[in-house]
Amino acid sequence: MKGDAPKAEKCITKFFPPFSGVDQHRLMSSRKESTSTSVAAMASTSGTLDSPVKQIQIEGLVVLKIIKHYQEEGQGSEVVQGVLLGLVVDDRLEITNCFPFPQHTEDDADFDEVQYQMEMMRSLRHVNIDHLHVGWYQSTYYGSFVSRALLDSQFSYQHAIEESVVLIYDPIKTAQGSLSLKAYRLTPKLMEICKEKDFTPEGLKKASIGFENMFEEVPIVIKNSHLISVLMWELEDKSTAADKHELLNLSSSNHLEKSLQLLMDRVDDLNQEIVKYNTYSRNLSKQQQQKHQYIQRRQQENAQRQSRGEPPLPEEDITKLFKPPQAPPRMDTLLIAGQINNYCQNVKEFTSQNLGKLFMAEALQGHN
């Protein structure tokens, strides 16, 4: 991606690198460390871990923490990330707490990401707060989150902690007047492909993997306590009428222009991937023709030698003479296509809302 998007993708790998096998073992060991209370909690949910998560219930305080984290540390395309804590009840994942992942530069070589998470979870356990690791969250810049870094990180999480999810918070869309918070998991087919690391065109075709079935979105329900609900009603009554009319703001040129610019950049990237695949297809077809011509010449020479009473030529390994060209990996192409689809959905949602506002404004003006 061009423009500001590579900066966001770079932040993903800088803040939240995918776990190695050792890190997964350390994180799972920390997750299984518990007192008698947490052991009972794990035992009560052990029978449900094999079932897929069909719904996510998230505390309103967690949403506020995520928003505050971005407002304090996120600047423009900078990505902020953090850890989600909670528990599994039947087929519902309850997210009850979270903590931010600190930003650090490449110069901080002594910083251990996994050790930091384990220490935080131990501290929360000591004060009797839910400390079971159930996923992570990340902010996004104009919906630019479908990347190889996110895929690798979520695969590491989901492979180590089966019920884990990733929450994507979009501050740009939230600033327009509606909270944008979505939860995603990798589909079972994509999990198998990532385990086998077979990203060839044949492997993806055999598994029937497309950009539309790489991620599965899990519905989110935000839950507030009765005290928080009462507080929100009081704050709503105290709010001025002018603040409520901000939702009717018709200015959309900057947001729409940026979204279309990012969409065009990703279309250019997809075009480059198509050119690579077409080049591979031409080279493969050309090699097949050369192989066929070589076999025909070989057969003609053997026929001539047989007519002269001479022994046929020795058999040769054709695969050594004609090494097939290496197929380009198709996972990057699927990710680009998925990101293009996400941009199109964002533009569609944004334009539909603004068209509704324009029709409403036109109707109000006609009454005046």
Side-chain angles (χ1 to χ4, degrees):
M1 184 182 300
K2 303 176 184 178
D4 295 322
K7 187 177 181 181
E9 293 181 358
K10 183 179 180 181
C11 293
I12 294 175
T13 57
K14 180 176 71 173
F15 294 156
F16 229 112
F19 288 151
S20 62
V22 177
D23 293 339
Q24 291 181 16
H25 177 72
R26 291 169 59 194
L27 189 60
M28 288 299 291
S29 299
S30 173
R31 191 174 189 263
K32 292 178 181 178
E33 286 181 5
S34 56
T35 59
S36 59
T37 304
S38 59
V39 168
M42 286 295 292
S44 63
T45 60
S46 60
T48 63
L49 294 182
D50 293 334
S51 61
V53 176
K54 297 181 180 179
Q55 187 184 39
I56 295 178
Q57 177 179 295
I58 180 171
E59 296 287 341
L61 182 60
V62 177
V63 179
L64 293 178
K65 285 183 177 181
I66 295 175
I67 296 175
K68 182 181 178 183
H69 184 199
Y70 177 82
Q71 291 178 346
E72 292 179 347
E73 299 185 7
Q75 298 293 333
S77 61
E78 290 289 336
V79 172
V80 297
Q81 296 175 323
V83 177
L84 300 174
L85 305 174
L87 67 158
V88 180
V89 179
D90 296 330
D91 59 353
R92 183 178 71 253
L93 176 63
E94 297 184 0
I95 301 175
T96 58
N97 202 358
C98 68
F99 60 85
F101 201 77
Q103 298 186 17
H104 63 280
T105 61
E106 297 178 355
D107 298 333
D108 302 331
D110 298 334
F111 184 80
D112 191 338
E113 296 89 353
V114 179
Q115 183 64 29
Y116 167 79
Q117 297 180 47
M118 292 192 295
E119 291 178 357
M120 284 293 297
M121 288 187 287
R122 291 194 188 101
S123 300
L124 293 172
R125 183 187 63 193
H126 291 160
V127 294
N128 198 24
I129 296 178
D130 291 335
H131 62 280
L132 298 181
H133 201 151
V134 295
W136 58 296
Y137 69 85
Q138 171 188 304
S139 64
T140 181
Y141 180 69
Y142 284 95
S144 305
F145 66 90
V146 183
S147 65
R148 187 61 179 268
L150 182 134
L151 174 65
D152 294 338
S153 296
Q154 180 58 22
F155 169 74
S156 299
Y157 268 96
Q158 205 164 322
H159 181 67
I161 307 170
E162 186 177 0
E163 68 272 16
S164 63
V165 299
V166 53
L167 288 182
I168 302 297
Y169 167 64
D170 191 341
I172 306 296
K173 189 179 295 185
T174 301
Q176 300 296 324
S178 59
L179 175 64
S180 177
L181 190 67
K182 296 183 179 181
Y184 294 96
R185 286 171 50 85
L186 301 185
T187 59
K189 290 183 178 181
L190 187 58
M191 286 293 295
E192 292 296 329
I193 289 292
C194 292
K195 289 178 183 178
E196 299 175 358
K197 297 182 178 181
D198 184 12
F199 302 129
T200 60
E202 293 77 12
L204 295 176
K205 183 179 180 181
K206 182 180 179 181
S208 301
I209 293 293
F211 70 89
E212 67 279 356
N213 57 5
M214 296 176 61
F215 297 90
E216 57 182 0
E217 184 177 354
V218 186
I220 296 178
V221 175
I222 299 178
K223 179 184 178 182
N224 292 319
S225 64
H226 298 300
L227 291 177
I228 294 180
S229 299
V230 172
L231 177 60
M232 292 177 63
W233 287 334
E234 291 182 357
L235 293 176
E236 185 178 0
D237 292 337
K238 294 179 181 179
S239 62
T240 60
D243 295 334
K244 298 180 180 180
H245 291 297
E246 291 182 358
L247 295 176
L248 299 178
N249 187 6
L250 299 178
S251 60
S252 61
S253 57
N254 293 335
H255 181 88
L256 188 59
E257 180 182 356
K258 187 62 179 179
S259 298
L260 292 177
Q261 180 183 355
L262 293 173
L263 176 61
M264 289 187 294
D265 291 340
R266 295 308 269 174
V267 170
D268 291 339
D269 295 338
L270 182 61
N271 184 54
Q272 294 178 5
E273 294 294 327
I274 293 175
V275 170
K276 293 179 182 178
Y277 187 77
N278 289 338
T279 303
Y280 160 75
S281 300
R282 287 195 298 267
N283 293 337
L284 182 62
S285 177
K286 183 178 179 180
Q287 188 184 74
Q288 292 294 336
Q289 293 179 357
Q290 294 176 351
K291 185 187 298 185
H292 182 68
Q293 293 174 358
Y294 175 81
I295 294 175
Q296 286 183 338
R297 289 197 304 268
R298 193 79 172 179
Q299 292 175 350
Q300 292 176 359
E301 291 179 2
N302 286 332
Q304 293 176 359
R305 293 174 65 90
Q306 186 177 5
S307 63
R308 295 194 299 265
E310 299 176 359
L313 295 173
E315 295 292 336
E316 295 183 359
D317 190 357
I318 301 180
T319 57
K320 293 182 180 180
L321 296 176
F322 299 94
K323 294 183 179 180
Q326 186 176 2
R330 302 297 291 167
M331 182 55 67
D332 294 337
T333 306
L334 290 179
L335 291 172
I336 293 174
Q339 184 60 71
I340 291 176
N341 181 65
N342 187 52
Y343 283 145
C344 293
Q345 293 296 328
N346 290 341
V347 171
K348 178 182 177 181
E349 294 176 3
F350 188 78
T351 53
S352 61
Q353 292 176 1
N354 280 270
L355 286 175
K357 295 177 184 178
L358 289 173
F359 286 127
M360 185 185 301
E362 183 180 0
L364 291 175
Q365 187 177 7
H367 286 292
N368 294 334

